[in-house]
Amino acid sequence: MEFARAGGAAGGPRIALVLPATGPRAAWGRTLRAVARGGTGPAIEWVLHDESAALDGARRVARKVVESGGYRAVVGHLGSRGAAAALPLYRAAGLPCLLPVTALPTGPGHPGGGSGGTGGQPLALSWAPDEAGQAKALLAALDSLGATGVGVLTDGSAYGYRLGVHLLGADEPGRPVRTVGPVGPVPSSLHTVVVAARFHRAAELARGLRESGYTGQLAFPDDCELAEFARLAGTAATGALLCRPAGGRAPRVRAALAALAGALTDRPGVTGVELAAAVRERSALLLDTGGAPVADSWQVVRMTGC
């Protein structure tokens, strides 16, 4: 579904802003749209496309963007599976794709970790650290806090499954990592439960854990870096830990959009792989030759105000 312009000047370079605008993920869409609306100046004409959470939604939106024509670049795709489904279509069309909060997909069909362009130059750029690092950062923080055991509660989503696999793969004799269920008592040996879930389900699962009598530490992944999560979780998230990209997501969105605006201002006619290269050169957060952040990291913070 295509929406009215999200901000910027009609007649400027048209950029497709692909974000969830309906459904449970819409809160993230609103948050990121507000950043786009407030920080890029008047030179860009934003056109919002609603990306559903389903894998076919991302592919369907990408196909529509490509077939519509007239777009200079795409910004968005909130989720690595959706990005992985969409990037081959953008690559075939020579259309740059900026992923401010989603890591570049890897594996077959994604040369160089992203949507490879000509001459080895990437068409896809990401301002997000790789997902495996999130599990490492969480466990390092818990180890420093003296965790003697870690439980992992997932929501059944691909996002939760991937994080759960990374966490469970780091099981150690002195600090076991175990799967726990959404109902029933959590073993007292588990110092912390990591709720590996999208924010709306994470809030529900956190409330369930507290209602079942669990009083230990709770920890949440980066999808929960959202005011809506705190509202939904209520007191269940009081004192909880949050793992997020260093500095948070919003600065990364601003860095991506500022680099795009700068590239289009300096070189108004630039397109395709040359536009992607110009954006990469202007990014305040350094991006490597494959389009991924240089020496990026995750941080674990304590949630306040919940």
Side-chain angles (χ1 to χ4, degrees):
M1 179 177 181
E2 183 170 317
F3 286 71
R5 192 168 63 253
R14 297 181 78 226
I15 306 297
L17 188 62
V18 180
L19 296 170
T22 55
R25 305 280 293 145
W28 263 119
R30 290 192 298 270
T31 299
L32 299 181
R33 283 164 59 195
V35 177
R37 188 179 293 118
T40 60
I44 294 175
E45 179 183 355
W46 296 101
V47 180
L48 176 66
H49 292 262
D50 184 10
E51 175 189 42
S52 74
L55 183 62
D56 64 335
R59 188 181 295 113
R60 185 169 56 250
V61 166
R63 185 174 295 110
K64 181 172 183 178
V65 168
V66 169
E67 292 176 351
S68 296
Y71 288 105
R72 299 281 288 280
V74 178
V75 176
H77 285 294
L78 191 61
S80 57
R81 287 184 76 228
L87 287 180
L89 298 176
Y90 299 141
R91 180 173 67 245
L95 191 61
C97 181
L98 281 57
L99 305 170
V101 299
T102 301
L104 289 173
T106 58
H110 299 288
S115 180
T118 58
Q121 296 297 315
L123 272 166
L125 306 175
S126 171
W127 284 256
D130 70 276
E131 291 182 334
Q134 178 164 207
K136 294 178 183 177
L138 272 167
L139 292 174
L142 295 177
D143 287 343
S144 71
L145 295 174
T148 54
V150 177
V152 179
L153 175 58
T154 68
D155 63 347
S157 68
Y159 171 83
Y161 172 79
R162 290 193 306 272
L163 179 56
V165 166
H166 290 307
L167 290 166
L168 292 166
D171 177 63
E172 296 178 359
R175 190 258 298 126
V177 182
R178 299 285 185 266
T179 300
V180 299
V183 295
V186 174
S188 59
S189 60
L190 298 181
H191 171 278
T192 300
V193 172
V194 178
V195 184
R198 294 295 191 185
F199 81 89
H200 52 287
R201 284 286 289 134
E204 180 182 340
L205 292 170
R207 294 195 307 269
L209 284 169
R210 293 307 191 203
E211 289 168 2
S212 72
Y214 181 68
T215 59
Q217 181 72 64
L218 293 181
F220 299 96
D222 65 322
D223 199 66
C224 298
E225 188 197 1
L226 192 68
E228 181 70 3
F229 167 74
R231 186 188 71 79
L232 292 172
T235 58
T238 300
L241 304 180
L242 171 72
C243 190
R244 66 182 188 181
R249 282 181 164 185
R252 293 158 188 270
V253 177
R254 288 192 286 268
L257 299 183
L260 175 61
L264 292 172
T265 298
D266 295 345
R267 301 178 61 187
V270 69
T271 61
V273 70
E274 292 184 357
L275 174 56
V279 171
R280 185 168 68 86
E281 291 169 1
R282 287 161 177 77
S283 175
L285 178 65
L286 295 181
L287 304 181
D288 64 24
T289 56
V294 173
D296 203 2
S297 63
W298 296 85
Q299 66 179 161
V300 178
V301 299
R302 193 172 300 281
M303 301 182 71
T304 59
C306 297

